[in-house]
Amino acid sequence: MIISLYVNNMFVFCTSMNVMYNTKYFLASKFDKKDMAKVSVILDIEIIRRDNGIMLTQEHYVEKLIKKFGHFYMTPVSSPYDVNTQLKKNKGKVIARLKYARIIGNLMHTMCVDVNQISIISIGRR
C-alpha cells in the first residue's frame, strides 16, 4: 500500500480493494475526511486505468492550454530553422511579449510537474 500526501489531499494506492476499504475505515475513525472516490487528475497529470496497469498523461492539460491561448484549431506547419539567421531582442508590443511569457510559463509548468513532486509514504504489509 502507498499513501500519497499533497497539500490537503491524501491518495491511497492498493492492489487489494479489501485493504483499501480497511484503510479508509481506519482513517475515517481518526480524521475528519471526505472520500472523493477514484482520483482522475493529480497536479495536471491525468491517471488512466487499464487492465495491465496505470498510464499517466498531460494530454488534457496541453489541449486546455492550446485552447486557452487560441491556437487549438490552427494547422501545423513545418518551420525549419535557418542557421544563418541572427536572433535579436524582441522590440515588439508589450502585450505580445506578455502573452508570449504566459505561454512559455505554462509550457514550463508542463515540463516540470511530475509525480516526484508528490511526497510518498510507503506503508509495509501486515
Side-chain angles (χ1 to χ4, degrees):
M1 172 184 2
I2 295 175
I3 298 178
S4 170
L5 305 170
Y6 181 75
V7 187
N8 62 346
N9 294 308
M10 177 184 295
F11 305 101
V12 180
F13 302 92
C14 294
T15 56
S16 163
M17 290 306 289
N18 213 13
V19 173
M20 174 74 72
Y21 292 130
N22 289 337
T23 303
K24 288 167 116 179
Y25 179 77
F26 171 77
L27 291 170
S29 73
K30 302 293 181 187
F31 304 101
D32 182 25
K33 71 172 196 69
K34 182 177 182 181
D35 188 353
M36 302 298 287
K38 287 184 178 180
V39 66
S40 59
V41 177
I42 303 172
L43 299 173
D44 292 323
I45 299 171
E46 184 178 11
I47 300 169
I48 300 171
R49 290 168 183 79
R50 302 264 166 88
D51 290 339
N52 61 344
I54 296 174
M55 183 175 83
L56 304 177
T57 177
Q58 286 187 293
E59 181 180 349
H60 75 290
Y61 175 74
V62 173
E63 184 177 305
K64 183 174 79 172
L65 182 63
I66 293 169
K67 285 179 180 177
K68 174 181 173 180
F69 290 103
H71 297 284
F72 188 72
Y73 296 103
M74 296 198 169
T75 306
V77 294
S78 175
S79 54
Y81 175 70
D82 181 1
V83 294
N84 297 317
T85 302
Q86 186 176 16
L87 299 177
K88 297 179 182 177
K89 185 176 180 179
N90 179 13
K91 295 184 180 178
K93 295 180 182 178
V94 175
I95 297 169
R97 289 192 310 215
L98 181 60
K99 182 177 180 180
Y100 176 77
R102 285 184 178 143
I103 292 169
I104 295 300
N106 280 270
L107 289 172
M108 288 176 68
H109 170 75
T110 304
M111 293 184 327
C112 297
V113 172
D114 67 338
V115 292
N116 293 323
Q117 291 182 337
I118 302 172
S119 174
I120 296 178
I121 302 168
S122 181
I123 311 289
R125 296 181 187 176
R126 292 193 243 196

